[in-house]
Amino acid sequence: MIRHVYTTRRSGLKYGNKKTVIDGITFDSQLEAGCYKPLKESGLEFTRQETFEIQESFKDGKKTIRAMTYKADFVVTHNGVRYVLDAKGMQTPEFKIKYKLLLYRGVRIICVSSMKKMTEACIYIRQGMTSQELESVLNPPKKRKKR
């Protein structure tokens, strides 16, 4: 049973997100918490907060430069295929850069902007849709205006 326990507002969170707790799990935003419910109810196998390394750490003289990482909200595994799903109300410039760097490494991040889209994603994943097809269905490219 999914039960909303409480929502807190903590200063310092980006974009006014509110940490939300469901089933004893703390989520970084209400959107992420809302996306958890349809994913859990779908019966699909998934993990939370999986970390992907974008660039390894390295030495610059005596100084060590930290590795660059990306932490995904949800990683769904179905029939041996991994889908990286991220609950995003808005795509930040930092996210867009990390998206491209991970795509270069073969990891496609699929942005989910609502509970409805997460429910749709679960249905499409069960149907065996590839991550590229799933991304194009959930986030179709914007049409350019003619000048």
Side-chain angles (χ1 to χ4, degrees):
M1 178 177 156
I2 298 176
R3 193 172 39 154
H4 181 73
V5 180
Y6 63 88
T7 300
T8 60
R9 174 81 170 114
R10 196 178 96 200
S11 62
L13 289 176
K14 288 194 261 182
Y15 310 107
N17 293 340
K18 294 180 182 177
K19 291 233 180 212
T20 303
V21 177
I22 296 180
D23 289 345
I25 303 169
T26 303
F27 295 92
D28 291 334
S29 69
Q30 290 175 323
L31 175 59
E32 185 181 341
C35 288
Y36 169 75
K37 182 180 177 183
L39 193 54
K40 182 178 178 186
E41 290 173 352
S42 73
L44 291 167
E45 180 185 327
F46 70 96
T47 58
R48 292 187 54 254
Q49 302 297 314
E50 192 170 322
T51 302
F52 292 87
E53 192 171 73
I54 296 172
Q55 179 178 317
E56 305 82 20
S57 64
F58 62 94
K59 294 253 187 214
D60 182 25
K62 292 183 180 180
K63 186 176 180 183
T64 300
I65 308 298
R66 290 186 324 181
M68 187 187 312
T69 60
Y70 172 77
K71 195 176 284 189
D73 292 336
F74 305 101
V75 177
V76 179
T77 305
H78 183 66
N79 292 337
V81 179
R82 293 179 64 192
Y83 301 86
V84 180
L85 303 173
D86 198 62
K88 283 266 181 254
M90 106 182 208
Q91 292 184 11
T92 63
E94 180 184 69
F95 171 78
K96 290 177 182 179
I97 292 169
K98 288 185 176 187
Y99 171 86
K100 289 176 184 178
L101 290 169
L102 279 171
L103 189 59
Y104 179 75
R105 289 187 164 249
V107 178
R108 181 178 301 276
I109 303 168
I110 302 159
C111 288
V112 181
S113 58
S114 67
M115 285 175 55
K116 181 182 175 195
K117 287 205 178 206
M118 181 58 88
T119 303
E120 290 173 19
C122 292
I123 292 167
Y124 292 134
I125 289 170
R126 283 201 168 284
Q127 292 174 354
M129 196 175 267
T130 68
S131 59
Q132 188 170 5
E133 292 169 333
L134 183 59
E135 182 181 40
S136 66
V137 168
L138 295 179
N139 305 309
K142 292 185 168 87
K143 293 181 181 178
R144 293 183 175 180
K145 293 181 182 178
K146 292 183 180 178
R147 293 183 181 195

